[in-house]
Amino acid sequence: MERKRNRLLKSLFAFIAIALLITGCSSGNGGSDTSTLIVANGSDPVTFDIQATNDQSTTRIARQIYDTLIKQSNDLTLEPALAVSWEEVAENVFEFKLRDDVVFHNGEPFTAKDVEYTIKRAIASPTIGHIVGSVDPDSIKVIDDYTIQIGTLGAFGPFLTHLAHPATAILNEKAVTEAGEDYGTLVVVGTGPFKFESWTTGDKVVATRNDDYWGDAAKVDKIEFRTIADPSVRLIELETGAVHIAYDISPPDIEKVRSNDTLTLLNTPNLGAEYMGINMASDTPLRDKNVRKAIAHAVDVKSIIETIYLNVGSQMTGPINELVFGYNDKLSAYDYDLDKAKQYLVDAGYPDGGFTLTLQVGDNSQERIKVSQVVKASLAELGITVDVQQLEWSSYLDSTSKGEADLFLLGWTTVTTDGDYGLYPLFHSSQFGSAGNRSFYANDKVDALLEAGRFTSSEDSDARLAAYQEAQEIIHDELPWIFLQTRENVTGISNRVKGFEHHPTGSYFLVDVSVSD
């Protein structure tokens, strides 16, 4: 009787907890208010010092606060932003003419000095330095307040596209210096259409309209980005009108949004890839390629896509998808074949498995959490024990950057649409850790190929393509990743929302978004 009573009490407490969670999420400016846009994000940002992180949850908010020199529009066209024009004035040297009517959120005027400071600081960043790694710091010259020259160490085809990457947005030197360690959390200063107001960790980020913005004024007075990790709660909030936009609708909820007359589902291709990373530096049997091949054949990726992602995305054959320059269409997917997997373990000297691996997964994706359980069950078929560790998002990024996991589930979006960004930070041996290469993969031949692709002129696209395709052949064979599926942007939108569009990177511009009565 006492045991039954305890079960009833646990059920009651669980019900109350869920009710409180939903009630807590529903508080705020939903309903008929049209001055505030409320957006549900799947996880908390890491820091708004955008040179100290490169994650999607942060970028989706930071994109409203900061501006880059060049803007990559929703159709991936490069357009003027803080730079009104640019031209190549010498071999591998570009001169940028800057807007002379821009003011930072702290009242400081935007000048070429801020661009110089930003680029040099970015080069030194262990997290995003690879994005501007082609820049020759000695080539940066401030000509006058609104003219600056920036050169590269050699020919670098996607240079201008890299300057449109959100992580290269322009910082104000005075704001960063004066705030010290508080920059990115308590103090955030950009030139964008919205100004940072507050960040309540685990709850929400609030940004208000910048009335001094150099471009078209934002359509709403305020944006609230609410952190709602549970996708079912995000859906409830969207259905009840407590939020206007819900990012990353989970596959089981897609039809619920489609069938709701008050909502619209937006589903478009994405430049990203989902993968299971393999720590090549871990002191485990994973160092043996045969073990990695066994794992690749033991995980049924097609079933994962069908049953967990409900056919959102398609199976990857390599590290980049067909939307990215450099894609190798001659690679084939690793097929699910337990007999092959067992034979590879025999070849590696582990006929019965008999070892344990840790698999880390972030708490911000229910799908990845489910995938981790499938991997655990799949490898158990080989006699391999998998210890699944679920971590809070920022802790997870920190842990995987330090190589603390044997296996880990992550994604990468090639925001520049170029193979350099989809391969160099993830597989070049100089990019270990937070820069992107969390597999700690090192191969001299791959390094040379990625450098050749990086420092070959964009005019010689055939040579660049050949370098990237050969690099992918080696990566496909050596398997620092288990290739899962392509990503898609899936967003639920209230019909009261006007002007929202997807960006192929999964990070969206909200300046033109409004809420109607």
Side-chain angles (χ1 to χ4, degrees):
M1 187 72 179
E2 183 65 24
R3 188 175 297 172
K4 182 178 181 182
R5 177 176 175 272
N6 288 338
R7 287 201 302 267
L8 287 170
L9 284 173
K10 287 180 181 178
S11 298
L12 177 60
F13 290 150
F15 175 79
I16 292 171
I18 292 171
L20 286 173
L21 174 62
I22 293 173
T23 303
C25 289
S26 297
S27 62
N29 296 315
S32 60
D33 185 13
T34 61
S35 65
T36 301
L37 176 66
I38 304 175
V39 180
N41 210 6
S43 55
D44 234 19
V46 176
T47 171
F48 289 110
D49 180 348
I50 52 170
Q51 296 184 353
T53 187
N54 192 18
D55 70 296
Q56 189 76 284
S57 294
T58 300
T59 300
R60 284 173 165 172
I61 303 173
R63 203 155 211 179
Q64 321 314 319
I65 298 169
Y66 293 102
D67 290 312
T68 47
L69 287 177
I70 300 171
K71 178 182 176 181
Q72 188 184 43
S73 67
N74 290 337
D75 64 2
L76 301 177
T77 302
L78 296 182
E79 301 175 347
L82 291 179
V84 295
S85 64
W86 49 87
E87 64 174 329
E88 191 170 10
V89 294
E91 186 176 10
N92 304 322
V93 177
F94 282 81
E95 184 170 279
F96 297 84
K97 295 292 185 181
L98 309 178
R99 294 187 183 276
D100 60 5
D101 57 349
V102 179
V103 177
F104 283 98
H105 298 156
N106 62 351
E108 290 288 309
F110 159 72
T111 71
K113 282 287 187 183
D114 296 297
V115 177
E116 178 186 35
Y117 169 76
T118 297
I119 300 299
K120 287 185 175 180
R121 185 175 185 263
I123 291 170
S125 166
T127 302
I128 61 102
H130 58 86
I131 298 171
V132 289
S134 66
V135 173
D136 177 5
D138 294 333
S139 73
I140 302 175
K141 295 180 182 178
V142 174
I143 306 303
D144 57 45
D145 281 351
Y146 302 107
T147 308
I148 189 169
Q149 292 181 356
I150 304 173
T152 56
L153 294 165
F156 183 60
F159 171 58
L160 295 176
T161 308
H162 278 226
L163 292 183
H165 192 293
T168 67
I170 305 303
L171 304 172
N172 177 246
E173 181 175 5
K174 180 178 179 181
V176 175
T177 303
E178 289 183 352
E181 293 184 357
D182 289 335
Y183 192 81
T185 52
L186 300 178
V187 178
V188 183
V189 174
T191 60
F194 290 92
K195 297 188 291 185
F196 174 84
E197 181 178 290
S198 63
W199 176 11
T200 305
T201 304
D203 182 18
K204 65 182 177 181
V205 176
V206 179
T208 57
R209 181 170 57 204
N210 175 16
D211 291 327
D212 296 320
Y213 186 52
W214 56 268
D216 293 336
K219 299 291 193 299
V220 293
D221 296 339
K222 182 186 294 187
I223 304 181
E224 288 185 9
F225 292 93
R226 299 209 184 142
T227 300
I228 306 176
D230 188 327
S232 62
V233 177
R234 283 205 300 278
L235 176 64
I236 292 170
E237 295 293 273
L238 182 66
E239 290 174 328
T240 60
V243 303
H244 302 119
I245 299 173
Y247 292 152
D248 304 325
I249 294 296
S250 67
D253 294 332
I254 287 175
E255 286 306 317
K256 295 175 186 176
V257 176
R258 280 193 176 128
S259 62
N260 190 320
D261 292 340
T262 68
L263 306 176
T264 297
L265 183 87
L266 193 57
N267 189 358
T268 59
N270 183 286
L271 292 158
E274 289 284 318
Y275 68 94
M276 182 168 72
I278 297 176
N279 186 346
M280 306 284 278
S282 68
D283 189 17
T284 68
L286 290 173
R287 292 188 180 213
D288 190 320
K289 182 169 71 173
N290 284 320
V291 173
R292 302 194 297 275
K293 296 227 173 194
I295 293 172
H297 285 294
V299 177
D300 190 345
V301 176
K302 283 186 178 179
S303 291
I304 286 173
I305 295 170
E306 290 171 1
T307 61
I308 295 177
Y309 289 92
L310 301 180
N311 293 311
V312 173
S314 55
Q315 186 170 2
M316 298 284 289
T317 59
I320 57 178
N321 68 33
E322 63 272 15
L323 299 177
V324 177
F325 172 80
Y327 170 70
N328 189 330
D329 61 1
K330 296 179 177 60
L331 300 179
S332 58
Y334 279 83
D335 59 317
Y336 172 63
D337 190 326
L338 270 181
D339 290 335
K340 272 187 188 178
K342 290 175 180 177
Q343 184 57 52
Y344 274 118
L345 277 188
V346 170
D347 295 344
Y350 301 96
D352 302 314
F355 54 89
T356 299
L357 301 172
T358 59
L359 168 57
Q360 289 188 353
V361 60
D363 66 353
N364 65 325
S365 170
Q366 293 300 309
E367 285 69 45
R368 287 180 187 163
I369 292 169
K370 291 175 184 176
V371 171
S372 72
Q373 296 303 320
V374 170
V375 171
K376 178 184 176 76
S378 299
L379 298 195
E381 294 285 322
L382 303 180
I384 301 171
T385 301
V386 176
D387 175 22
V388 176
Q389 301 173 352
Q390 184 178 324
L391 281 68
E392 180 273 328
W393 179 238
S394 61
S395 299
Y396 171 67
L397 292 177
D398 182 61
S399 181
T400 53
S401 74
K402 294 175 181 175
E404 294 175 346
D406 299 321
L407 305 168
F408 57 95
L409 291 163
L410 255 181
W412 183 269
T413 303
T414 306
V415 299
T416 65
T417 73
D418 189 273
D420 174 75
Y421 188 68
L423 297 170
Y424 187 91
L426 298 162
F427 302 107
H428 195 280
S429 62
S430 67
Q431 302 300 302
F432 286 168
S434 62
N437 189 348
R438 296 168 193 263
S439 294
F440 297 88
Y441 172 68
N443 180 295
D444 291 342
K445 178 64 173 176
V446 169
D447 281 356
L449 289 165
L450 297 183
E451 288 163 12
R454 168 167 275 219
F455 294 113
T456 298
S457 170
S458 58
E459 296 176 0
D460 194 355
S461 60
D462 289 345
R464 297 189 72 232
L465 179 63
Y468 291 140
Q469 289 188 337
E470 185 178 352
Q472 286 170 81
E473 289 171 5
I474 299 171
I475 293 165
H476 179 271
D477 176 62
E478 295 202 327
L479 283 174
W481 285 10
I482 303 300
F483 311 112
L484 299 179
Q485 86 275 13
T486 57
R487 285 170 151 182
E488 293 183 15
N489 299 318
V490 186
T491 305
I493 312 158
S494 164
N495 290 344
R496 296 174 58 207
V497 170
K498 310 299 178 187
F500 178 82
E501 295 182 8
H502 271 165
H503 193 282
T505 62
S507 180
Y508 316 119
F509 296 106
L510 301 179
V511 63
D512 293 324
V513 177
S514 62
V515 182
S516 64
D517 292 325

